[in-house]
């Protein structure tokens, strides 16, 4: 099955899923894996969590053995990061209950009108006004400094090691499944040397361009409402949630990214951007609207009265009225943009032309042609100009964009080699691989896909390949190891099917296997069943595939040997030695020519 890839931006599907093999592979960005890897990537989970997630989804009980130290139990760094971040979150929550936390942190939240329930829902906390509160407590609980630093919780320099967050209220940032991956923190003292908001740095689990604050708490509501409110600050999110408006998220610590928009797109195709009532800020963030259009989502925008932001306004008028306000005042992006600029334009025709260009630019970003034409019509009415002018202008923009895209240089896969080899069927090629390694790769591919297939009554693909390549040493380390492992299993009398390598503890075996058994296009059975058209498959030409692969591999290998031999010859001092190397070169070249003839190359 093919689909548009959930991991990268694309318009034509290159993401393939094979339910029978239990694997996925993107021929565009190269992401590949099995069911567990998929959950890890898409939900941002560690290995154990992904297992637990799947267990929960399918009602399979999973028992994890308890260990005294949680970090020991963690299988990888990601897992340890989640654990230490969770520890920090609990520490900050506790600190909010201390007398300092109460007096400073909690009173700030109360001032903002946050209820105890909402504080608990967002797991808000406080960091004490000392240098090493978290550091000390973490060390007492056997978390080491390296891990704390990797999690972005402490800062280490030559002179000292100290907490990143001090004397601030803490907003934990959760991933979609609700695990804490970072913190946003607001300072409460007046200190000119400190930023008002401080965020965790990027870590192994926190990539801010792919994270939306509040999405974990909002996702269900976004799905139900089929709309997502996008706001600017943490407090906007919390306040709206408290007022019963739950489909709300904020881009945390960055301007909106396409990763974040895609994330919303998984839950709803409609986004309403809620802007603070300040014109300068809005104009600066209009780029966000264009990006939403580019992702083929529908965008509306609302501005609040002068001096109000979503947080203050919802407090003033309450949740119900707030929803009504949005309903009455939200505008589609053209009307929004036009009205925003129209006030400055007055009767200036040049400025009007600029505005038209600006809006045409936005409309051209919409991938859907029908939607585009609807917007062109609307724009024409609104700005009182001829629709065909707009369309012509829009087409120009689109064409320039397409031209730019097609001019991008293509990767040269084969390199400057003297022989043209046919492209291998349905397999995407890694870039960092030379022609010899390419042939080694093809050997492994044949073994994985067709190892037990018969070439004639007695010969299978694997016996043939091992006979032919008995004394050939693979150059690529992974293929060499896979080849050796395959051979070992065969010698044990076990046939290692692709499954064996998919479950192998060596992660690169697994990755390579997924790539090598994924086929970009499979011929539908309908061709044969309904239309009686037989499309030859690889299986029908196995003999040729195996035979020519072996020859090509030998040809490439000999090329390498000639190169090595030649280098040694140049280094040789004694004349006898040189003659010896020359003889070898002669022999190698003869063999090379013979193989070339068999390959049907003009020699
Ligand atoms: Zn992809």
């Amino acid at each position: 099955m093919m689909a548009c890839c959930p991991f990268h931006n694309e318009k034509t599907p290159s993401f393939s899923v094979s339910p029978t093999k239990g694997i996925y592979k993107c021929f565009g960005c190269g992401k590949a894996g099995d069911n567990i890897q998929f959950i890890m990537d898409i939900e941002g989970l560690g290995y154990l969590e992904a297992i637990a997630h799947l267990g929960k989804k399918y009602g399979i009980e999973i028992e994890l053995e308890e260990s005294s130290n949680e970090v020991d139990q963690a299988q990888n760094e990601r897992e340890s990061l989640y654990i230490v971040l969770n520890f920090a979150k609990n520490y900050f929550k506790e600190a909010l209950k201390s007398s300092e936390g109460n007096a400073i942190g909690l009173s700030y939240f109360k001032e903002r009108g946050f209820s105890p329930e909402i504080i608990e829902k967002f797991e808000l906390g406080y960091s004490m006004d000392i240098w090493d509160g978290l550091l000390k407590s973490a060390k007492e609980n056997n978390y080491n400094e390296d891990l704390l630093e990797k999690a972005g919780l402490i800062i280490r320099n030559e002179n000292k090691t100290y907490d990143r967050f001090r004397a601030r209220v803490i907003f934990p940032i959760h991933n979609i499944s609700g695990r804490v991956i970072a913190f946003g923190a607001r300072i409460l003292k007046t200190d000119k040397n400190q930023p008002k908001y401080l965020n965790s740095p990027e870590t192994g689990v926190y990539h801010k361009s792919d994270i939306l604050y509040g999405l974990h708490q909002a996702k269900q509501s976004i799905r139900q409402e089929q709309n997502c409110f996008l706001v600017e600050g943490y407090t906007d999110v919390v306040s709206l949630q408290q007022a019963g408006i739950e489909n709300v998220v904020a881009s945390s610590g960055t301007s909106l990214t396409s990763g974040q928009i895609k994330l919303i797109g998984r839950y709803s195709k409609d986004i309403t951007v809620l802007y603070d009532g300040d014109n300068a800020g809005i104009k600066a963030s209009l780029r966000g609207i264009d990006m939403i259009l580019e992702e083929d989502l529908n965008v509306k925008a609302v501005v609040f009265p002068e001096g109000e932001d979503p947080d203050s306004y919802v407090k003033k008028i309450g949740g119900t009225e707030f929803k009504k306000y949005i309903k009455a005042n939200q505008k589609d992006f053209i009307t929004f943009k036009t009205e925003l600029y129209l006030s400055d334009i007055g009767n200036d025709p040049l400025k009007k032309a600029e505005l038209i260009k600006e809006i045409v630019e936005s409309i051209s970003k919409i991938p859907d042609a029908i939607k585009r034409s609807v917007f062109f019509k609307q724009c024409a009415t609104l700005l009182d100009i001829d629709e065909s002018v707009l369309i012509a202008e829009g087409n120009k923009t689109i064409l320039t964009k397409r031209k730019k895209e097609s001019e991008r240089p293509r990767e040269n896969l084969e390199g400057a080699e003297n022989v043209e080899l046919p492209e291998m069927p349905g397999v995407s090629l890694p870039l960092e691989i030379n022609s010899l390694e390419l042939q080694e790769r093809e050997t492994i591919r044949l073994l994985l896909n067709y190892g037990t297939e018969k070439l004639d009554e007695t010969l299978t693909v694997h016996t043939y390949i091992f006979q032919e390549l008995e004394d050939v040493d693979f150059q690529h380390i992974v293929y060499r190891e896979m080849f050796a492992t395959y051979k070992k299993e065969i010698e044990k009398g076990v046939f290692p099917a692709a499954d064996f390598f998919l479950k192998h503890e060596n992660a690169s075996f697994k990755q390579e296997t997924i790539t090598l058994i994924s086929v970009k296009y499979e011929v539908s059975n309908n061709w044969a069943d309904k239309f009686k058209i037989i499309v030859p498959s690889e299986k029908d030409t196995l003999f040729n595939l195996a035979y020519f692969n072996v020859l090509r591999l030998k040809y490439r290998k000999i090329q390498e040997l000639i190169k090595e031999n030649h280098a040694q010859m140049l280094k040789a001092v004694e004349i006898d030695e040189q003659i010896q190397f020359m003889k070898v070169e002669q022999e190698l070249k003869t063999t090379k020519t013979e193989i070339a003839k068999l390959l049907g190359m003009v020699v």
Side-chain angles (χ1 to χ4, degrees):
M1 290 187 267
M2 300 291 292
C4 280
C5 177
F7 301 111
H8 86 282
N9 229 333
E10 64 178 3
K11 305 257 154 31
T12 42
S14 52
F15 184 80
S16 82
V17 177
S18 166
T20 47
K21 291 168 186 161
I23 55 170
Y24 64 94
K25 155 96 187 162
C26 175
F27 291 90
C29 69
K31 277 247 181 201
D34 56 12
N35 36 24
I36 294 166
Q37 186 66 44
F38 184 81
I39 297 297
M40 285 168 72
D41 287 345
I42 201 95
E43 299 284 350
L45 300 176
Y47 183 75
L48 288 180
E49 285 179 301
I51 304 257
H53 179 98
L54 284 168
K56 207 165 139 196
K57 184 161 184 181
Y58 294 104
I60 301 164
E61 212 166 301
I62 288 156
E63 276 177 45
L64 292 178
E65 276 177 32
E66 289 291 330
S67 146
S68 55
N69 186 339
E70 277 183 298
V71 173
D72 284 344
Q73 196 184 308
Q75 288 205 343
N76 53 33
E77 189 174 293
R78 267 167 79 113
E79 213 87 40
S80 333
L81 286 175
Y82 287 135
I83 290 168
V84 74
L85 287 161
N86 190 52
F87 172 84
K89 174 205 75 188
N90 287 332
Y91 171 83
F92 294 137
K93 277 172 81 177
E94 277 307 305
L96 189 64
K97 293 177 195 156
S98 70
S99 58
E100 183 192 321
N102 229 310
I104 302 171
L106 197 60
S107 65
Y108 168 79
F109 289 142
K110 278 185 183 154
E111 213 175 281
R112 305 218 65 124
F114 292 177
S115 68
E117 293 75 29
I118 208 77
I119 290 174
E120 184 52 39
K121 185 172 185 180
F122 283 87
E123 307 195 282
L124 306 181
Y126 178 73
S127 58
M128 310 288 272
D129 192 7
I130 44 175
W131 286 94
D132 58 356
L134 174 65
L135 178 64
K136 259 191 188 157
S137 174
K139 277 172 128 178
E140 278 163 21
N141 284 278
N142 299 322
Y143 295 100
N144 67 44
E145 285 186 11
D146 281 343
L147 184 60
L148 289 163
E149 192 183 21
K150 275 183 194 152
L153 293 167
I154 60 166
I155 293 168
R156 280 203 283 199
N157 60 31
E158 289 140 31
N159 306 320
K160 65 175 178 182
T161 302
Y162 55 96
D163 288 2
R164 178 179 298 272
F165 304 112
R166 301 177 311 278
R168 287 169 182 270
V169 283
I170 301 279
F171 295 82
I173 298 167
H174 302 83
N175 68 10
I176 300 180
S177 52
R179 288 219 107 172
V180 172
I181 51 171
F183 299 98
R186 186 192 196 280
I187 201 161
L188 298 178
K189 317 192 272 192
T190 35
D191 183 341
K192 279 189 199 123
N193 299 318
Q194 295 285 335
K196 190 168 152 199
Y197 277 97
L198 188 64
N199 275 320
S200 292
E202 298 262 317
T203 66
V205 294
Y206 178 51
H207 310 287
K208 56 182 167 204
S209 59
D210 292 327
I211 293 296
L212 284 160
Y213 180 72
L215 185 58
H216 166 62
Q217 291 88 346
K219 60 183 177 187
Q220 225 168 339
S221 168
I222 295 173
R223 210 173 249 152
Q224 281 158 6
E225 304 278 331
Q226 274 307 301
N227 192 10
C228 176
F229 294 154
L230 188 64
V231 295
E232 279 166 49
Y234 303 132
T235 50
D236 293 325
V237 171
V238 179
S239 285
L240 288 182
Q241 277 262 359
Q242 180 163 308
I245 298 160
E246 295 190 336
N247 52 328
V248 55
V249 298
S251 67
S252 71
T254 60
S255 46
L256 199 60
T257 67
S258 69
Q260 291 169 338
I261 297 166
K262 256 202 253 322
L263 211 51
I264 298 175
R266 281 164 57 186
Y267 299 94
S268 160
K269 294 285 167 227
D270 291 305
I271 298 182
T272 304
V273 186
L274 312 189
Y275 287 109
D276 297 356
D278 129 51
N279 257 4
I282 295 171
K283 280 183 187 159
S285 55
L286 278 177
R287 168 88 190 104
I289 287 198
D290 281 356
M291 286 170 64
I292 298 173
L293 294 172
E294 270 174 275
E295 294 297 331
D296 208 11
L297 301 186
N298 307 315
V299 56
K300 289 189 171 162
V302 180
V303 181
F304 293 94
E306 191 78 35
E308 301 279 2
D309 56 39
D311 176 19
S312 66
Y313 203 54
V314 76
K315 268 192 205 98
K316 203 177 200 172
I317 63 171
T320 320
E321 286 302 309
F322 188 86
K323 276 189 200 165
K324 277 188 201 156
Y325 180 86
I326 289 182
K327 213 164 196 180
N329 289 280
Q330 64 181 1
K331 290 175 183 138
D332 68 80
F333 78 100
I334 295 189
T335 317
F336 180 72
K337 238 180 172 176
T338 311
E339 286 181 358
L340 192 66
Y341 283 94
L342 225 44
S343 55
D344 317 336
I345 288 173
N347 286 324
D348 187 337
L350 280 177
K351 277 190 177 164
K352 188 173 175 186
E354 241 169 74
L355 169 65
I356 292 168
K357 262 212 156 91
E358 176 81 23
I359 288 177
V360 166
E361 185 94 13
S362 288
I363 298 177
S364 308
K365 296 224 160 87
I366 301 174
D368 187 279
I370 297 171
K371 243 196 247 172
R372 270 203 309 271
S373 74
V374 173
F375 278 119
F376 277 132
K377 191 163 263 156
Q378 188 188 343
C379 180
T381 321
L382 217 70
L383 293 168
D384 190 24
I385 40 168
D386 193 23
E387 193 186 332
S388 58
V389 176
L390 287 180
I391 294 173
E393 189 64 31
N395 286 342
K396 236 173 25 193
T397 314
I398 295 167
L399 280 178
T400 331
K401 202 176 123 201
R402 287 209 187 126
K403 194 156 165 249
K404 257 192 216 145
E405 276 169 8
S406 67
E407 274 166 5
R408 241 181 262 153
R410 310 239 164 201
E411 302 92 322
N412 187 0
L413 295 173
E414 264 285 317
E417 269 295 338
N418 45 359
V419 195
E420 275 285 314
L421 295 178
E423 202 193 320
M424 277 181 270
V427 178
S428 64
L429 303 176
L431 295 174
E432 63 292 345
I433 191 167
N434 67 33
S435 2
L436 172 60
E437 290 171 343
L438 214 58
Q439 234 43 67
E440 295 174 358
R441 184 174 193 270
E442 173 67 357
T443 309
I444 303 293
R445 190 182 77 85
L446 291 175
L447 285 172
L448 287 175
N449 288 290
Y450 308 110
T452 48
E453 296 290 331
K454 289 208 160 147
L455 294 175
D456 61 30
E457 269 93 78
T458 54
L459 202 60
T460 62
V461 170
H462 78 258
T463 41
Y464 173 72
I465 287 180
F466 283 115
Q467 263 169 31
E468 286 291 326
L469 302 180
E470 202 177 4
D471 46 8
V472 174
D473 226 1
F474 278 24
Q475 179 175 295
H476 192 284
I477 176 148
V478 178
Y479 304 143
R480 184 166 65 225
E481 285 174 5
M482 284 179 86
F483 195 66
T485 309
Y486 198 103
K487 205 167 165 186
K488 235 188 241 159
E489 290 300 303
I490 294 283
E491 281 161 3
K492 276 195 240 164
V494 194
F495 175 74
D499 222 33
F500 170 85
F501 288 96
L502 284 177
K503 298 203 170 84
H504 202 278
E505 59 185 9
N506 186 328
S508 23
F509 284 13
K510 197 166 143 180
Q511 274 302 313
E512 284 296 334
T513 305
I514 288 169
T515 308
L516 292 175
I517 64 175
S518 300
V519 180
K520 192 167 179 183
Y521 303 107
E522 276 179 78
V523 178
S524 157
N525 287 338
N526 285 341
W527 288 98
D529 298 348
K530 280 196 196 150
F531 309 119
K532 310 288 172 228
I533 296 169
I534 305 298
V535 182
S537 78
E538 276 205 330
K539 263 194 192 171
D540 306 327
T541 57
L542 263 189
F543 181 79
N544 272 349
L545 275 179
Y547 175 74
F548 281 109
N549 171 56
V550 164
L551 277 183
R552 284 195 201 107
L553 181 59
K554 287 181 175 174
Y555 183 86
R556 296 299 191 199
K557 190 75 200 173
I558 284 179
Q559 276 186 319
E560 284 297 309
L561 290 177
I562 291 174
K563 242 191 258 168
E564 279 168 30
N565 186 71
H566 198 79
Q568 277 183 303
M569 183 168 75
L570 293 178
K571 268 191 257 161
V573 198
E574 301 291 327
I575 195 94
D576 285 353
E577 238 184 316
Q578 286 179 4
I579 292 175
Q580 197 50 43
F581 282 123
M582 261 193 243
K583 272 187 187 160
V584 175
E585 180 160 326
Q586 217 38 61
E587 280 166 32
L588 286 170
K589 280 189 171 160
T590 316
T591 318
K592 184 180 154 188
T593 314
E594 276 167 25
I595 296 178
K597 272 185 202 151
L598 291 172
L599 275 168
M601 286 157 42
V602 184
V603 190

